[in-house]
Amino acid sequence: MAYITPDYYKNDYMGAPAPSDEDLNRYIKRASDIIDEVTSYRLYGNKFDKMPDIIKDIVSKATAAQVEFYVVKAGTAEVNAGEASSMDSVSVGSFSYSGGSGGSDRNSVRDAGRISPAALSLLSKTGLLYRGVFVRG
């Protein structure tokens, strides 16, 4: 489900111009997928429509920020390739340093470069990024 329309991106958010309308539609779909992923699919299906208006507005802005991130970075392929620069190890002469990141840490570093910092900042205020356990008492 797309959380914004091309009209919203162009006229309400006033994002950077996409190369084409086809690219813009593709970026919107990919950005909506990223929003679903980082929110642990809490908005998937008809759950988005049941959210308070302020949450809908913030999610729309976050989606538009992710679209603009794609536009600025020249497409989803460039972003999804894992542009986040992470040096696993460096050697200079006899000196060697290893960052020690491995396993899931390496994936989280790569994934961090796929998500717009502006989108994450917006979503952080909604509670949708919460990964803990909800307790009822």
Side-chain angles (χ1 to χ4, degrees):
M1 169 184 173
Y3 296 117
I4 62 171
T5 63
D7 183 60
Y8 176 88
Y9 178 77
K10 291 177 185 176
N11 299 317
D12 292 355
Y13 187 76
M14 296 186 199
S20 70
D21 286 341
E22 183 180 327
D23 286 331
L24 180 57
N25 286 322
R26 189 175 67 239
Y27 294 164
I28 288 171
K29 287 180 183 180
R30 298 293 186 278
S32 297
D33 289 345
I34 288 287
I35 298 300
D36 279 337
E37 186 178 328
V38 299
T39 61
S40 299
Y41 299 92
R42 289 185 177 97
L43 303 169
Y44 192 76
N46 62 356
K47 294 176 191 170
F48 178 71
D49 296 331
K50 296 176 183 176
M51 289 286 172
D53 288 339
I54 186 136
I55 300 294
K56 289 182 195 176
D57 188 43
I58 292 170
V59 169
S60 295
K61 287 178 184 178
T63 305
Q66 183 67 31
V67 170
E68 188 167 48
F69 186 68
Y70 288 147
V71 170
V72 170
K73 294 282 190 172
T76 58
E78 292 298 319
V79 172
N80 290 334
E83 284 186 8
S85 80
S86 65
M87 293 184 163
D88 290 336
S89 62
V90 176
S91 295
V92 178
S94 63
F95 174 77
S96 180
Y97 171 78
S98 178
S101 69
S104 64
D105 289 343
R106 189 171 302 168
N107 288 337
S108 63
V109 169
R110 180 186 56 81
D111 288 346
R114 296 177 50 220
I115 302 166
S116 161
L120 283 176
S121 177
L122 285 160
L123 291 172
S124 71
K125 311 301 187 270
T126 65
L128 292 169
L129 300 180
Y130 181 68
R131 301 261 189 232
V133 177
F134 291 100
V135 178
R136 294 182 184 225

